[in-house]
Amino acid sequence: NRWSPNVLTQSDNGSQYGYSYMRIRGFDQTKINFTLNGIPLNEMEDQGIYFSNMPGFLNNISNIQVTRGIGTSQYGTTSIGGSVDMETNSPLKKLIQFNVNQGSFNNKQVSLVTNSGFLGKSKFAFSSNASYLSTSGFREHTQSEGFNYFGQVGYFSEKNTIRLYGFTGFVKNNLS
């Protein structure tokens, strides 16, 4: 798109769910450094990242910064193609949100988001997001169905912030 030139994305089933890929400057996901709030997400075995294993994960993200070109990385893979840093939503703003979406190719997504804000007079806050999605896919036999849970808890003082993140999920993909 016009905001991120030299970034190419594709999906095996023609929708935003299932097996999808990203290239920056022609380099695949094994040459791109992906981080979540500065924490590396690339797998240790082949340095790749597999978006199909994290269905609905982007519901937790408030900002994505894409840096093209060779960069330095303290952790994770060498960023020859570029770097993608994703920042999570802040748990400090009180929120309860239930979303139901339906679209073409029988795309369905249901999610529940909760942010606690500060708990009483303490400096602790948490957030969680549970997402379910399914699609029939654009092409025949490219169905996908998955569930993702993301949670974070944090301590927020004037000088220090300590956060703990965790996420899990399952996905069942078909290929034509």
Side-chain angles (χ1 to χ4, degrees), residues 90-173:
S90 172
L92 299 178
K93 178 182 174 187
K94 284 187 178 188
L95 173 71
I96 296 177
Q97 187 176 43
F98 181 70
N99 299 310
V100 178
N101 300 311
Q102 185 163 352
S104 301
F105 315 115
N106 205 24
N107 284 357
K108 297 175 187 161
Q109 183 175 15
V110 178
S111 65
L112 176 63
V113 179
T114 60
N115 291 351
S116 69
F118 283 117
L119 297 171
K121 295 185 185 234
S122 74
K123 296 181 183 197
F124 288 94
F126 74 89
S127 69
S128 66
N129 182 343
S131 299
Y132 169 82
L133 56 88
S134 68
T135 184
S136 296
F138 174 72
R139 296 177 14 206
E140 190 174 358
H141 303 297
T142 60
Q143 302 89 339
S144 182
E145 179 180 30
F147 174 80
N148 177 280
Y149 177 79
F150 175 88
Q152 68 175 311
V153 62
Y155 172 79
F156 302 88
S157 71
E158 293 78 28
K159 294 183 180 182
N160 298 308
T161 299
I162 300 171
R163 289 188 189 184
L164 176 65
Y165 306 97
F167 56 92
T168 188
F170 76 87
V171 68
K172 183 172 101 177
N173 293 317

Coordinates of all heavy atoms in Angstrom, one line a residue, residues 90-173:
S90 N -3.1 -0.7 25.5 CA -2.8 -0.4 26.9 C -3.9 -0.9 27.8 O -5.1 -0.7 27.5 CB -2.6 1.1 27.1 OG -2.5 1.4 28.5
P91 N -3.6 -1.5 28.9 CA -4.6 -2.0 29.8 C -5.1 -0.9 30.7 O -6.0 -1.1 31.5 CB -3.9 -3.1 30.6 CG -2.5 -2.7 30.6 CD -2.2 -2.0 29.3
L92 N -4.6 0.3 30.6 CA -4.9 1.4 31.6 C -6.2 2.1 31.3 O -6.8 2.7 32.1 CB -3.8 2.4 31.6 CG -2.4 1.9 32.0 CD1 -1.4 3.0 31.9 CD2 -2.5 1.3 33.4
K93 N -6.7 1.9 30.1 CA -8.0 2.5 29.7 C -9.1 1.4 29.9 O -9.1 0.4 29.3 CB -8.0 2.9 28.2 CG -9.3 3.5 27.8 CD -9.2 3.9 26.3 CE -10.6 4.3 25.8 NZ -10.6 4.5 24.3
K94 N -10.1 1.7 30.8 CA -11.1 0.7 31.1 C -11.9 0.5 29.9 O -12.4 1.4 29.2 CB -12.0 1.2 32.2 CG -11.4 1.1 33.6 CD -12.5 1.5 34.7 CE -11.8 1.3 36.0 NZ -12.8 1.5 37.1
L95 N -12.2 -0.8 29.6 CA -12.9 -1.2 28.4 C -13.4 -2.6 28.5 O -12.7 -3.5 29.0 CB -11.9 -1.1 27.2 CG -12.4 -1.6 25.9 CD1 -13.4 -0.6 25.3 CD2 -11.2 -1.7 24.9
I96 N -14.6 -2.8 28.0 CA -15.2 -4.1 27.8 C -15.8 -4.0 26.4 O -16.7 -3.1 26.2 CB -16.2 -4.5 28.8 CG1 -15.6 -4.7 30.2 CG2 -16.9 -5.8 28.4 CD1 -16.5 -5.0 31.3
Q97 N -15.4 -4.8 25.5 CA -15.8 -4.7 24.1 C -16.1 -6.1 23.6 O -15.3 -7.0 23.7 CB -14.8 -4.0 23.3 CG -15.2 -3.7 21.9 CD -14.0 -2.9 21.2 OE1 -12.9 -3.2 21.4 NE2 -14.4 -1.9 20.5
F98 N -17.3 -6.3 23.0 CA -17.7 -7.6 22.3 C -17.9 -7.3 20.8 O -18.7 -6.4 20.5 CB -18.9 -8.1 23.0 CG -19.4 -9.4 22.4 CD1 -18.6 -10.6 22.6 CD2 -20.5 -9.5 21.6 CE1 -19.0 -11.8 22.1 CE2 -20.9 -10.7 21.1 CZ -20.2 -11.9 21.3
N99 N -17.1 -7.9 20.0 CA -17.2 -7.7 18.5 C -17.7 -9.0 17.8 O -17.2 -10.1 18.1 CB -15.8 -7.3 18.0 CG -15.3 -6.0 18.6 OD1 -16.0 -5.0 18.6 ND2 -14.1 -6.1 19.0
V100 N -18.6 -8.8 16.9 CA -19.0 -9.9 16.0 C -18.9 -9.3 14.6 O -19.5 -8.3 14.3 CB -20.5 -10.3 16.3 CG1 -20.9 -11.4 15.3 CG2 -20.6 -10.8 17.7
N101 N -18.2 -10.0 13.7 CA -18.0 -9.6 12.3 C -18.3 -10.7 11.4 O -18.0 -11.9 11.7 CB -16.6 -9.1 12.1 CG -16.2 -8.0 12.9 OD1 -16.9 -7.0 13.0 ND2 -15.0 -8.1 13.6
Q102 N -18.9 -10.4 10.3 CA -19.1 -11.4 9.2 C -18.9 -10.8 7.9 O -19.2 -9.6 7.7 CB -20.6 -12.0 9.3 CG -20.8 -13.1 8.3 CD -22.0 -14.0 8.7 OE1 -22.6 -13.8 9.7 NE2 -22.3 -14.8 7.8
G103 N -18.3 -11.6 7.0 CA -18.0 -11.0 5.7 C -18.1 -12.0 4.6 O -18.6 -13.1 4.7
S104 N -17.5 -11.7 3.4 CA -17.5 -12.5 2.3 C -16.7 -13.8 2.6 O -15.9 -13.9 3.5 CB -16.7 -11.8 1.1 OG -17.4 -10.6 0.8
F105 N -17.1 -14.9 1.8 CA -16.5 -16.2 1.9 C -16.7 -16.8 3.3 O -15.9 -17.5 3.8 CB -15.0 -16.2 1.6 CG -14.7 -15.3 0.4 CD1 -13.9 -14.2 0.5 CD2 -15.2 -15.7 -0.9 CE1 -13.6 -13.4 -0.7 CE2 -14.9 -14.9 -2.0 CZ -14.1 -13.8 -1.9
N106 N -17.8 -16.5 3.9 CA -18.3 -17.0 5.2 C -17.3 -16.7 6.3 O -17.1 -17.4 7.2 CB -18.5 -18.5 5.1 CG -19.5 -19.0 6.1 OD1 -20.3 -18.3 6.6 ND2 -19.4 -20.3 6.4
N107 N -16.6 -15.5 6.1 CA -15.7 -15.1 7.2 C -16.5 -14.7 8.4 O -17.4 -13.9 8.3 CB -14.9 -13.8 6.7 CG -13.8 -14.1 5.8 OD1 -13.5 -15.3 5.5 ND2 -13.1 -13.1 5.3
K108 N -16.1 -15.2 9.6 CA -16.7 -14.9 10.8 C -15.6 -14.7 11.9 O -14.6 -15.4 11.9 CB -17.6 -16.0 11.3 CG -18.7 -16.4 10.4 CD -19.5 -17.6 10.9 CE -20.5 -17.9 9.8 NZ -21.0 -19.3 9.9
Q109 N -15.9 -13.6 12.7 CA -14.9 -13.4 13.8 C -15.7 -12.9 15.0 O -16.6 -12.0 14.9 CB -13.9 -12.3 13.4 CG -12.9 -12.1 14.5 CD -11.8 -11.1 14.0 OE1 -11.9 -10.4 13.1 NE2 -10.7 -11.1 14.8
V110 N -15.4 -13.4 16.2 CA -16.0 -13.0 17.4 C -14.9 -12.8 18.4 O -14.0 -13.6 18.5 CB -17.0 -14.1 18.0 CG1 -17.6 -13.7 19.3 CG2 -18.1 -14.5 17.0
S111 N -14.9 -11.7 19.1 CA -13.9 -11.4 20.1 C -14.5 -10.7 21.3 O -15.5 -10.0 21.2 CB -12.8 -10.6 19.5 OG -13.2 -9.3 19.1
L112 N -13.8 -10.9 22.4 CA -14.2 -10.2 23.7 C -12.9 -9.6 24.2 O -11.9 -10.3 24.4 CB -14.7 -11.2 24.7 CG -15.0 -10.7 26.1 CD1 -16.1 -9.6 26.0 CD2 -15.5 -11.8 27.0
V113 N -12.9 -8.3 24.4 CA -11.7 -7.6 24.9 C -12.1 -6.9 26.2 O -13.2 -6.4 26.4 CB -11.4 -6.4 23.9 CG1 -10.2 -5.6 24.4 CG2 -11.1 -7.0 22.5
T114 N -11.2 -7.1 27.2 CA -11.4 -6.4 28.5 C -10.1 -5.7 28.9 O -9.0 -6.3 28.8 CB -11.8 -7.4 29.6 OG1 -10.8 -8.4 29.8 CG2 -13.1 -8.1 29.3
N115 N -10.2 -4.5 29.4 CA -9.1 -3.8 30.0 C -9.6 -3.3 31.3 O -10.7 -2.7 31.5 CB -8.7 -2.5 29.2 CG -8.1 -2.9 27.8 OD1 -7.8 -4.0 27.6 ND2 -7.9 -1.9 27.0
S116 N -8.8 -3.5 32.4 CA -9.2 -3.3 33.7 C -9.1 -1.8 34.1 O -9.8 -1.3 35.0 CB -8.5 -4.1 34.7 OG -7.1 -3.7 34.8
G117 N -8.1 -1.1 33.5 CA -7.7 0.2 34.1 C -7.0 -0.1 35.4 O -6.8 -1.3 35.7
F118 N -6.7 0.9 36.2 CA -6.0 0.6 37.5 C -7.0 -0.1 38.4 O -8.2 0.3 38.5 CB -5.6 1.9 38.1 CG -4.3 2.5 37.5 CD1 -4.3 3.7 36.9 CD2 -3.1 1.7 37.6 CE1 -3.1 4.2 36.3 CE2 -1.9 2.2 37.0 CZ -1.9 3.4 36.4
L119 N -6.6 -1.1 39.1 CA -7.4 -1.9 40.0 C -7.5 -1.2 41.3 O -6.5 -1.2 42.1 CB -6.9 -3.3 40.1 CG -6.9 -4.1 38.8 CD1 -6.1 -5.4 39.1 CD2 -8.3 -4.4 38.4
G120 N -8.6 -0.5 41.6 CA -8.7 0.2 42.8 C -7.7 1.3 42.9 O -7.4 2.1 42.0
K121 N -7.0 1.4 44.1 CA -5.9 2.4 44.3 C -4.6 1.8 44.0 O -3.6 2.5 44.2 CB -6.0 2.9 45.7 CG -7.3 3.7 46.0 CD -7.3 4.3 47.3 CE -8.6 5.0 47.6 NZ -8.6 6.3 48.0
S122 N -4.5 0.6 43.5 CA -3.2 -0.1 43.2 C -2.7 0.5 41.9 O -3.4 1.2 41.2 CB -3.4 -1.6 43.2 OG -4.0 -1.9 42.0
K123 N -1.5 0.1 41.6 CA -0.9 0.5 40.3 C -0.8 -0.7 39.4 O 0.0 -0.8 38.4 CB 0.5 1.0 40.6 CG 0.5 2.2 41.4 CD 1.8 2.8 41.7 CE 1.7 4.0 42.6 NZ 2.8 4.8 42.7
F124 N -1.7 -1.7 39.6 CA -1.8 -2.9 38.7 C -3.0 -2.7 37.7 O -4.0 -2.1 38.0 CB -2.0 -4.1 39.5 CG -0.8 -4.5 40.3 CD1 -0.7 -4.1 41.6 CD2 0.1 -5.3 39.7 CE1 0.4 -4.5 42.4 CE2 1.3 -5.7 40.4 CZ 1.4 -5.3 41.8
A125 N -2.8 -3.3 36.5 CA -3.8 -3.3 35.5 C -3.6 -4.5 34.7 O -2.5 -5.1 34.6 CB -3.8 -2.0 34.6
F126 N -4.7 -5.0 34.0 CA -4.6 -6.2 33.2 C -5.5 -6.0 32.0 O -6.5 -5.2 32.0 CB -5.0 -7.5 33.9 CG -6.4 -7.7 34.2 CD1 -7.2 -8.3 33.2 CD2 -7.0 -7.2 35.3 CE1 -8.6 -8.5 33.5 CE2 -8.3 -7.4 35.6 CZ -9.1 -8.0 34.7
S127 N -5.3 -6.8 31.0 CA -6.2 -6.8 29.8 C -6.2 -8.2 29.2 O -5.2 -9.0 29.4 CB -5.8 -5.8 28.7 OG -4.5 -6.2 28.1
S128 N -7.2 -8.6 28.5 CA -7.3 -9.9 27.9 C -8.2 -9.8 26.6 O -9.0 -8.9 26.5 CB -7.9 -10.9 28.9 OG -9.3 -10.6 29.1
N129 N -7.9 -10.7 25.8 CA -8.7 -10.8 24.5 C -8.8 -12.2 24.1 O -7.8 -12.9 24.0 CB -7.9 -10.0 23.4 CG -8.6 -9.9 22.1 OD1 -9.5 -10.7 21.9 ND2 -8.3 -9.0 21.3
A130 N -10.0 -12.6 23.8 CA -10.3 -13.9 23.3 C -10.9 -13.8 21.9 O -11.9 -13.0 21.8 CB -11.2 -14.7 24.2
S131 N -10.4 -14.4 20.9 CA -10.9 -14.3 19.6 C -11.1 -15.6 18.9 O -10.3 -16.6 19.1 CB -9.9 -13.5 18.7 OG -9.7 -12.3 19.1
Y132 N -12.2 -15.8 18.2 CA -12.5 -17.0 17.4 C -12.8 -16.5 16.0 O -13.5 -15.5 15.8 CB -13.8 -17.7 18.0 CG -14.3 -18.8 17.0 CD1 -13.7 -20.0 17.0 CD2 -15.3 -18.5 16.1 CE1 -14.2 -21.0 16.1 CE2 -15.8 -19.4 15.2 CZ -15.2 -20.7 15.2 OH -15.6 -21.6 14.3
L133 N -12.3 -17.3 15.0 CA -12.5 -16.9 13.7 C -12.6 -18.1 12.8 O -12.1 -19.2 13.1 CB -11.4 -16.0 13.1 CG -10.0 -16.4 13.2 CD1 -9.6 -17.2 12.0 CD2 -9.1 -15.2 13.3
S134 N -13.3 -18.0 11.7 CA -13.5 -19.1 10.7 C -13.8 -18.5 9.3 O -14.3 -17.3 9.2 CB -14.6 -20.0 11.1 OG -15.8 -19.4 11.0
T135 N -13.4 -19.2 8.3 CA -13.7 -18.8 6.9 C -13.8 -20.0 6.1 O -13.2 -21.0 6.3 CB -12.6 -17.8 6.4 OG1 -12.9 -17.4 5.1 CG2 -11.2 -18.5 6.4
S136 N -14.5 -19.9 5.0 CA -14.6 -20.9 4.0 C -13.5 -20.8 3.0 O -13.2 -21.7 2.2 CB -15.9 -20.9 3.3 OG -17.0 -21.2 4.1
G137 N -12.9 -19.6 2.9 CA -11.8 -19.3 2.0 C -12.3 -18.9 0.7 O -13.4 -19.2 0.3
F138 N -11.5 -18.2 -0.1 CA -11.9 -17.7 -1.4 C -11.8 -18.9 -2.4 O -12.7 -19.0 -3.2 CB -10.9 -16.7 -1.9 CG -11.0 -16.2 -3.3 CD1 -12.1 -15.4 -3.7 CD2 -10.1 -16.6 -4.3 CE1 -12.3 -15.0 -5.0 CE2 -10.3 -16.2 -5.6 CZ -11.4 -15.4 -5.9
R139 N -10.9 -19.8 -2.2 CA -10.7 -21.0 -3.1 C -11.3 -22.2 -2.4 O -11.4 -22.2 -1.2 CB -9.3 -21.2 -3.4 CG -8.7 -20.1 -4.2 CD -7.3 -20.2 -4.6 NE -6.6 -21.4 -4.4 CZ -5.3 -21.6 -4.2 NH1 -4.6 -20.5 -4.1 NH2 -4.8 -22.8 -4.0
E140 N -11.7 -23.1 -3.2 CA -12.3 -24.4 -2.6 C -11.3 -25.1 -1.8 O -10.1 -25.2 -2.1 CB -12.8 -25.3 -3.8 CG -13.7 -26.4 -3.3 CD -14.2 -27.2 -4.5 OE1 -14.0 -26.8 -5.7 OE2 -14.9 -28.2 -4.2
H141 N -11.7 -25.7 -0.7 CA -10.9 -26.5 0.3 C -9.8 -25.6 0.9 O -8.7 -26.1 1.1 CB -10.3 -27.7 -0.4 CG -11.3 -28.6 -1.0 ND1 -12.3 -29.3 -0.3 CD2 -11.6 -28.9 -2.3 CE1 -13.0 -30.0 -1.0 NE2 -12.6 -29.8 -2.3
T142 N -10.1 -24.3 1.2 CA -9.1 -23.5 1.9 C -9.7 -23.0 3.2 O -9.4 -21.9 3.6 CB -8.7 -22.3 1.0 OG1 -9.8 -21.5 0.6 CG2 -7.9 -22.8 -0.2
Q143 N -10.6 -23.8 3.8 CA -11.2 -23.3 5.1 C -10.1 -23.1 6.2 O -9.0 -23.7 6.1 CB -12.2 -24.4 5.6 CG -13.3 -24.8 4.7 CD -12.9 -25.9 3.7 OE1 -11.8 -26.2 3.5 NE2 -13.9 -26.5 3.2
S144 N -10.5 -22.3 7.1 CA -9.6 -22.1 8.3 C -10.5 -21.8 9.5 O -11.5 -21.1 9.4 CB -8.7 -20.9 8.0 OG -7.8 -20.7 9.1
E145 N -10.1 -22.3 10.6 CA -10.8 -22.1 11.9 C -9.8 -22.0 13.0 O -8.9 -22.8 13.1 CB -11.8 -23.2 12.1 CG -12.6 -23.1 13.4 CD -13.5 -24.2 13.6 OE1 -13.3 -25.3 13.2 OE2 -14.6 -24.0 14.3
G146 N -10.0 -21.0 13.9 CA -9.0 -20.8 14.9 C -9.5 -20.0 16.1 O -10.5 -19.4 16.1
F147 N -8.7 -20.1 17.2 CA -9.0 -19.5 18.5 C -7.7 -18.9 19.0 O -6.7 -19.5 18.9 CB -9.6 -20.4 19.5 CG -9.8 -19.8 20.8 CD1 -10.9 -19.0 21.1 CD2 -8.9 -20.0 21.8 CE1 -11.1 -18.4 22.3 CE2 -9.1 -19.5 23.1 CZ -10.2 -18.7 23.3
N148 N -7.8 -17.7 19.6 CA -6.6 -17.1 20.2 C -7.0 -16.5 21.5 O -8.0 -15.8 21.6 CB -6.0 -16.0 19.2 CG -4.8 -15.3 19.8 OD1 -4.9 -14.4 20.6 ND2 -3.6 -15.7 19.4
Y149 N -6.1 -16.6 22.5 CA -6.2 -15.9 23.8 C -5.0 -15.1 24.0 O -3.9 -15.7 23.9 CB -6.5 -16.8 24.9 CG -6.6 -16.1 26.2 CD1 -7.8 -15.4 26.5 CD2 -5.5 -16.0 27.1 CE1 -7.9 -14.6 27.7 CE2 -5.6 -15.2 28.3 CZ -6.8 -14.5 28.6 OH -6.8 -13.8 29.7
F150 N -5.1 -13.8 24.4 CA -4.0 -13.0 24.7 C -4.3 -12.3 26.1 O -5.4 -11.9 26.3 CB -3.8 -11.9 23.7 CG -2.7 -10.9 24.0 CD1 -1.4 -11.2 23.6 CD2 -3.0 -9.7 24.7 CE1 -0.4 -10.3 23.9 CE2 -2.0 -8.8 24.9 CZ -0.7 -9.1 24.6
G151 N -3.3 -12.3 26.9 CA -3.5 -11.6 28.2 C -2.2 -10.9 28.6 O -1.1 -11.2 28.2
Q152 N -2.4 -9.8 29.3 CA -1.2 -9.1 29.9 C -1.6 -8.5 31.3 O -2.8 -8.1 31.5 CB -0.8 -8.0 29.0 CG -1.7 -6.8 28.8 CD -1.1 -5.7 27.9 OE1 0.0 -5.3 28.2 NE2 -1.8 -5.2 26.9
V153 N -0.7 -8.5 32.1 CA -0.8 -7.9 33.5 C 0.4 -7.0 33.7 O 1.5 -7.3 33.2 CB -1.0 -8.9 34.6 CG1 0.2 -9.8 34.7 CG2 -1.4 -8.3 35.9
G154 N 0.2 -5.9 34.3 CA 1.3 -4.9 34.5 C 1.2 -4.2 35.8 O 0.1 -4.0 36.4
Y155 N 2.4 -3.7 36.2 CA 2.5 -2.8 37.4 C 3.0 -1.5 36.8 O 4.1 -1.4 36.1 CB 3.5 -3.3 38.4 CG 3.9 -2.4 39.5 CD1 3.0 -2.2 40.5 CD2 5.0 -1.7 39.5 CE1 3.3 -1.3 41.6 CE2 5.4 -0.8 40.5 CZ 4.5 -0.6 41.5 OH 4.8 0.3 42.5
F156 N 2.3 -0.4 37.0 CA 2.7 0.9 36.4 C 2.9 2.0 37.5 O 1.9 2.4 38.1 CB 1.5 1.4 35.5 CG 1.2 0.4 34.4 CD1 0.3 -0.6 34.6 CD2 1.8 0.5 33.2 CE1 0.0 -1.5 33.6 CE2 1.5 -0.4 32.2 CZ 0.6 -1.4 32.4
S157 N 4.1 2.3 37.7 CA 4.5 3.4 38.7 C 5.0 4.6 37.9 O 5.1 4.5 36.7 CB 5.5 2.9 39.7 OG 6.8 2.8 39.1
E158 N 5.3 5.6 38.6 CA 5.8 6.8 38.0 C 7.2 6.6 37.3 O 7.4 7.2 36.2 CB 6.0 8.0 39.0 CG 4.7 8.5 39.6 CD 4.1 7.6 40.6 OE1 4.9 6.9 41.3 OE2 2.9 7.6 40.8
K159 N 8.0 5.7 37.8 CA 9.3 5.5 37.3 C 9.5 4.2 36.6 O 10.4 4.0 35.8 CB 10.4 5.6 38.4 CG 10.5 7.0 39.0 CD 11.6 7.1 40.0 CE 11.6 8.5 40.6 NZ 12.7 8.6 41.6
N160 N 8.7 3.2 36.9 CA 8.9 1.8 36.4 C 7.6 1.2 35.9 O 6.5 1.5 36.4 CB 9.4 0.9 37.5 CG 10.8 1.3 38.0 OD1 11.7 1.5 37.2 ND2 10.9 1.5 39.3
T161 N 7.7 0.4 34.9 CA 6.6 -0.4 34.4 C 7.1 -1.8 34.2 O 8.2 -2.1 33.6 CB 6.2 0.1 33.0 OG1 5.7 1.5 33.2 CG2 5.0 -0.7 32.5
I162 N 6.3 -2.8 34.8 CA 6.7 -4.2 34.6 C 5.4 -4.8 34.0 O 4.3 -4.7 34.6 CB 7.0 -4.8 36.0 CG1 8.2 -4.2 36.6 CG2 7.2 -6.3 35.8 CD1 8.5 -4.6 38.0
R163 N 5.6 -5.5 32.9 CA 4.5 -6.2 32.2 C 4.8 -7.7 32.0 O 6.0 -8.0 31.7 CB 4.2 -5.5 30.9 CG 3.6 -4.2 31.0 CD 3.2 -3.8 29.6 NE 2.8 -2.4 29.6 CZ 2.3 -1.8 28.5 NH1 2.2 -2.4 27.4 NH2 2.0 -0.5 28.6
L164 N 3.8 -8.5 32.0 CA 3.9 -9.9 31.7 C 2.9 -10.2 30.6 O 1.7 -9.8 30.8 CB 3.6 -10.7 33.0 CG 3.6 -12.3 32.8 CD1 5.0 -12.8 32.4 CD2 3.1 -12.9 34.0
Y165 N 3.3 -10.8 29.5 CA 2.4 -11.1 28.4 C 2.3 -12.6 28.2 O 3.3 -13.3 28.5 CB 3.0 -10.5 27.1 CG 3.3 -9.0 27.1 CD1 4.6 -8.6 27.3 CD2 2.3 -8.1 26.9 CE1 4.9 -7.3 27.3 CE2 2.6 -6.8 26.9 CZ 3.9 -6.3 27.1 OH 4.2 -5.0 27.1
G166 N 1.2 -13.0 27.7 CA 1.1 -14.4 27.3 C 0.0 -14.6 26.3 O -1.0 -13.8 26.3
F167 N 0.2 -15.5 25.3 CA -0.8 -15.8 24.4 C -0.7 -17.2 23.9 O 0.3 -17.8 24.0 CB -0.8 -14.8 23.2 CG 0.5 -14.8 22.4 CD1 0.7 -15.5 21.3 CD2 1.5 -13.9 22.8 CE1 1.9 -15.5 20.6 CE2 2.7 -13.8 22.1 CZ 2.9 -14.6 21.0
T168 N -1.9 -17.8 23.5 CA -1.9 -19.1 23.0 C -3.1 -19.2 22.0 O -3.9 -18.3 21.9 CB -2.2 -20.1 24.2 OG1 -2.0 -21.5 23.7 CG2 -3.5 -19.9 24.8
G169 N -3.1 -20.3 21.3 CA -4.2 -20.4 20.3 C -4.1 -21.8 19.6 O -3.1 -22.5 19.7
F170 N -5.1 -22.1 18.8 CA -5.1 -23.2 17.9 C -5.7 -22.8 16.6 O -6.4 -21.9 16.5 CB -5.8 -24.4 18.6 CG -7.3 -24.3 18.5 CD1 -8.0 -24.7 17.3 CD2 -8.0 -23.7 19.5 CE1 -9.4 -24.5 17.2 CE2 -9.4 -23.5 19.4 CZ -10.1 -24.0 18.3
V171 N -5.3 -23.6 15.6 CA -5.8 -23.2 14.3 C -5.9 -24.5 13.5 O -5.1 -25.4 13.7 CB -5.0 -22.2 13.5 CG1 -3.6 -22.7 13.2 CG2 -5.7 -21.6 12.3
K172 N -6.9 -24.6 12.6 CA -7.1 -25.8 11.7 C -7.2 -25.2 10.3 O -8.2 -24.5 10.1 CB -8.3 -26.6 12.1 CG -8.4 -27.9 11.3 CD -9.5 -28.7 11.8 CE -10.8 -28.5 11.0 NZ -11.9 -29.4 11.4
N173 N -6.2 -25.4 9.5 CA -6.2 -24.9 8.1 C -6.3 -26.0 7.1 O -5.7 -27.1 7.3 CB -4.9 -24.1 7.8 CG -4.8 -22.9 8.7 OD1 -5.8 -22.1 8.8 ND2 -3.6 -22.6 9.2

